[in-house]
Amino acid sequence: MATIINGKELSKKIRMQVKEKVQELNKERIKPKLAVIMVGEDKASKIYLKNKSKACNEVGIEYEEFILNENIKMDELLELIRTLNEKKDIHGILLQSPIPKHLDIYKAFQTIDYRKDVDGFHPINIGRLVLNKQTFISCTPYGIIKMLEEYKIQLQGANVVILGRSNIVGKPLAQCLLNKDATVTICHSKTKNIEEITKKADIIISAIGKPKYVTENMVKQGAVVIDVGINRLETGEIVGDVDYEKVQEKASYITPVPGGVGPMTIAMLLNNVVIATKHLEQK
Amino acid sequence: MATIINGKELSKKIRMQVKEKVQELNKERIKPKLAVIMVGEDKASKIYLKNKSKACNEVGIEYEEFILNENIKMDELLELIRTLNEKKDIHGILLQSPIPKHLDIYKAFQTIDYRKDVDGFHPINIGRLVLNKQTFISCTPYGIIKMLEEYKIQLQGANVVILGRSNIVGKPLAQCLLNKDATVTICHSKTKNIEEITKKADIIISAIGKPKYVTENMVKQGAVVIDVGINRLETGEIVGDVDYEKVQEKASYITPVPGGVGPMTIAMLLNNVVIATKHLEQK
């Protein structure tokens, strides 16, 4: 039976560390602050924002929300971003996706001051990650790396297979792992013989959003299995991309859903806000 | 026996196309111009510069060289770059590497106006490549993609193994291939069981700089083999990373060295200068 990688526990530990760092900054009269922009009334986004707000509050990071009407024009969105870029009391800016389709999210991300880009979505921060330079790493990949490190899972030379090539998870994660000397394979919807590829993997990381897609016949005995998926079944149950019950019998380490990667993402966001604050305040 | 991918021939074709585009621009009184910076007296770099100068000349791209003393300070290098950034008659800026070790090449690349970054080394251009947005693609990976396309080699769903993870070849190439829907694996010095991985590849691209490293037992029957290596043996002979004689008997397509990837790199540089010119002059 696999060891369960407890993301909930680890995220608590990281949030405690962030809290201490915030308190140190407070002693120097620096108050880390995150600004969050939401456009429209997406239900899931509202829940995410509530969680982020709560998490900030718990560690002492100031939090301000900017809720824009779904009919807003691109110029107005960019104008708000530029205003927040200028504000000295704001250290991190986060644009909650999705945004309505008439808006260009890429342009919006690129307009955020890269020094306040705590989500790591600005192309310059992505480029710096590729070059293995100091940057903001997207919160989910960053959280996954932290988990693997916490459980002392060997990355150097490990054969890692990533399922999914999104800009938010798959692509930055591949860079992070390459920077840690892993051999990285990125699979996606066009990949052939995917089972043959995953069966060779020392570490499988699934981020494709298909419930119970990764079955035990795709997993090598003793592999590490990281599940980024958060899929809601018709029954209302939340499951990952991995057929957890069966795969855990074969894996050496596995992340549960919920309580695995999910809680790490917010913890790393808080961590990124502190990093941004220290840089901007030159501490 | 493998079909030989003739990089020399294809690069000629591309240079002819570039020449035509330059002539069209000339009609509108626009003269594409490349500025090249070299620091110190590296012998190989001098040869590269001579080749670049000649290639520019042949297609009608204006070319200016800035040779700096090897003891130059970082500020002076950055000052020159900033001056070239400002100059309206210069459309492309290339910093020849290597530069002396007391200088920060990354900072230099980052200082080049990304709109004139015809080598595609600026982090913002790397980030845009990751995001599959319009950008300057590094010349060698770009040349490889052009070759594969010219010979109608299926990339979608192809299992591609890249040997080498340099910022100049391996990493941007992986992004290009991912953008073309290939399944991409990046191997490097820390990879274990490399032979097992390459044997599964539909396409092997080697960019590690080890003479005759890729032997026939590493190659699947019918695989496409692209050789980026340019290695000088003690005898003076130039060979690639691939044991060409034996591998060609197994491969379906193969690039020779010389006459394969090499000539494509300069052709794509010229192409990037034209792209930069059109963008800057808004044509």
Side-chain angles (χ1 to χ4, degrees), chain B residues 69-228:
Chain B
N69 186 287
E70 60 176 350
N71 298 318
I72 197 169
K73 283 178 188 153
M74 192 63 201
D75 281 350
E76 294 171 282
L77 174 58
L78 295 185
E79 190 49 41
L80 171 62
I81 292 173
R82 289 195 191 103
T83 305
L84 298 175
N85 283 346
E86 292 301 320
K87 280 200 167 189
K88 289 229 163 118
D89 64 323
I90 286 175
H91 305 94
I93 302 171
L94 186 153
L95 172 62
Q96 182 68 43
S97 70
I99 62 175
K101 282 187 181 163
H102 70 280
L103 301 171
D104 180 351
I105 195 160
Y106 169 71
K107 198 171 178 185
F109 284 141
Q110 197 171 4
T111 303
I112 294 174
D113 184 331
Y114 73 93
R115 295 166 303 175
K116 298 187 177 185
D117 170 39
V118 286
D119 256 342
F121 293 163
H122 192 292
I124 208 166
N125 284 325
I126 298 170
R128 291 168 73 108
L129 179 62
V130 173
L131 297 169
N132 202 8
K133 294 282 174 188
Q134 204 281 323
T135 185
F136 290 110
I137 305 172
S138 303
C139 304
T140 302
Y142 196 7
I144 292 167
I145 296 293
K146 283 279 173 193
M147 286 175 129
L148 293 168
E149 287 180 344
E150 177 76 10
Y151 284 80
K152 298 190 169 46
I153 289 158
Q154 169 92 12
L155 293 177
Q156 189 180 86
N159 194 352
V160 183
V161 173
I162 299 170
L163 305 182
R165 55 171 163 174
S166 72
N167 293 335
I168 297 175
V169 183
K171 288 180 193 173
L173 184 57
Q175 294 304 329
C176 291
L177 289 162
L178 203 56
N179 291 342
K180 297 280 179 190
D181 292 335
T183 300
V184 181
T185 301
I186 311 172
C187 299
H188 46 78
S189 55
K190 301 288 189 276
T191 296
K192 291 166 186 165
N193 310 323
I194 204 158
E195 185 180 321
E196 207 177 295
I197 297 168
T198 57
K199 266 158 98 174
K200 299 275 181 192
D202 302 315
I203 303 173
I204 300 174
I205 305 174
S206 183
I208 50 171
K210 288 186 183 172
K212 302 189 181 184
Y213 176 84
V214 178
T215 51
E216 84 268 29
N217 58 320
M218 293 170 71
V219 178
K220 183 173 79 174
Q221 188 71 39
V224 175
V225 180
I226 306 290
D227 191 349
V228 187

Side-chain angles (χ1 to χ4, degrees), chain A residues 6-19 21-22 34 51-52 54-56 58-59 61 94 118-119 137-140 142-144 146-147 260-275:
Chain A
N6 193 332
K8 209 171 163 183
E9 206 57 47
L10 177 57
S11 80
K12 251 187 218 164
K13 190 170 139 184
I14 290 168
R15 280 183 280 134
M16 279 304 296
Q17 290 164 351
V18 169
K19 192 174 182 172
K21 287 177 198 162
V22 170
L34 174 66
N51 291 341
K52 284 170 187 171
K54 191 167 158 251
C56 281
E58 277 169 12
V59 299
I61 290 174
L94 187 153
V118 287
D119 256 342
I137 304 173
S138 304
C139 304
T140 303
Y142 196 7
I144 292 168
K146 282 280 172 193
M147 286 177 130
V261 175
M264 293 300 294
T265 300
I266 286 192
M268 298 327 291
L269 172 66
L270 302 174
N271 193 57
N272 276 349
V273 174
V274 168
I275 292 172

